[in-house]
Amino acid sequence: MCELSDNTLFELVKTGDKAAFSTLMLRYQPLLFMVACQKLSCEEEARDAVQEVFIWLWMKKGSVSLQSSLRNYLCGAVRNYCLNVLRSEKISRKRKRQYAYIREIFATPAELENKELSLSLRHAINNIAPASRAAFEMQYLEGFSQKEIAARRGVGLQTVKNQVLSALKELRNSLKQG
């Protein structure tokens, strides 16, 4: 079947000849893949585009009429499919940006309170004495146990306990005032 002309091959495809369709795919897949790669940046998307065009061609084989060569028709179909993919991606990105913008503008009161609380907490933590702050951050922010903190900092366990307790007292006082 490889020696058949494109027009003959396509006429066989229109009658439902699967062998003719396989030959057509083998003949045009490399070219169509290159066309898709020029439009799309991802080879996987390019393969998908070619596959989708072949699936579409098989599904619509009875209603497709060629105005030009089969080669031009298939290249145009792949090009159009790729443009639709790019258009969809662009619309999707635009919607995500709009959603993020709207979400930022219409932040709920709880989100604003959380942001405000987070800023207050960060400010209060920054006002803790350096040694106490380091022990507090290692325990509550980094997840170290008090024994691990003592070993890492080269101080006694009781010292770490006192520093963390001191940091918690300072935090409570600072947050009550703020």
Side-chain angles (χ1 to χ4, degrees):
M1 261 199 210
C2 288
E3 64 279 344
L4 294 175
S5 71
D6 285 351
N7 289 338
T8 306
L9 199 57
F10 189 65
E11 289 304 317
L12 289 171
V13 168
K14 287 174 93 173
T15 64
D17 188 329
K18 291 179 182 176
F21 186 70
S22 292
T23 302
L24 185 123
M25 282 181 60
L26 290 172
R27 187 177 290 179
Y28 283 103
Q29 203 160 22
L31 172 66
L32 298 179
F33 177 70
M34 286 187 343
V35 169
C37 280
Q38 288 174 346
K39 295 289 180 192
L40 304 172
S41 58
C42 174
E43 285 187 11
E44 188 174 324
E45 285 182 354
R47 275 190 211 89
D48 288 346
V50 172
Q51 189 69 28
E52 288 297 323
V53 167
F54 278 128
I55 290 170
W56 176 86
L57 182 64
W58 180 254
M59 301 300 282
K60 302 290 183 181
K61 62 186 174 283
S63 61
V64 172
S65 65
L66 299 177
Q67 304 301 321
S68 61
S69 71
L70 179 62
R71 178 182 190 273
N72 289 344
Y73 184 85
L74 291 174
C75 287
V78 167
R79 214 173 292 112
N80 289 337
Y81 183 88
C82 292
L83 292 174
N84 287 339
V85 166
L86 293 172
R87 190 175 305 116
S88 294
E89 288 174 355
K90 182 178 178 183
I91 290 169
S92 178
R93 282 192 306 271
K94 182 178 178 184
R95 283 187 183 146
K96 285 179 184 175
R97 280 194 309 269
Q98 287 173 339
Y99 175 73
Y101 176 73
I102 289 170
R103 183 167 157 71
E104 189 176 302
I105 289 175
F106 297 108
T108 64
E111 289 174 330
L112 292 175
E113 288 172 9
N114 285 342
K115 285 181 182 177
E116 189 176 309
L117 179 60
S118 179
L119 287 172
S120 296
L121 187 58
R122 179 50 50 200
H123 181 70
I125 289 172
N126 287 338
N127 288 334
I128 298 172
S132 295
R133 181 176 62 231
F136 172 82
E137 288 178 339
M138 289 177 80
Q139 182 172 352
Y140 288 100
L141 301 180
E142 297 173 22
F144 290 106
S145 71
Q146 289 181 344
K147 285 182 182 179
E148 291 173 321
I149 296 168
R152 284 179 172 245
R153 297 187 62 218
V155 295
L157 179 60
Q158 190 58 47
T159 302
V160 171
K161 287 180 181 182
N162 291 341
Q163 289 173 339
V164 170
L165 184 62
S166 172
L168 289 171
K169 283 180 184 177
E170 286 184 51
L171 270 178
R172 274 190 221 108
N173 290 336
S174 180
L175 291 174
K176 280 181 186 176
Q177 293 171 0

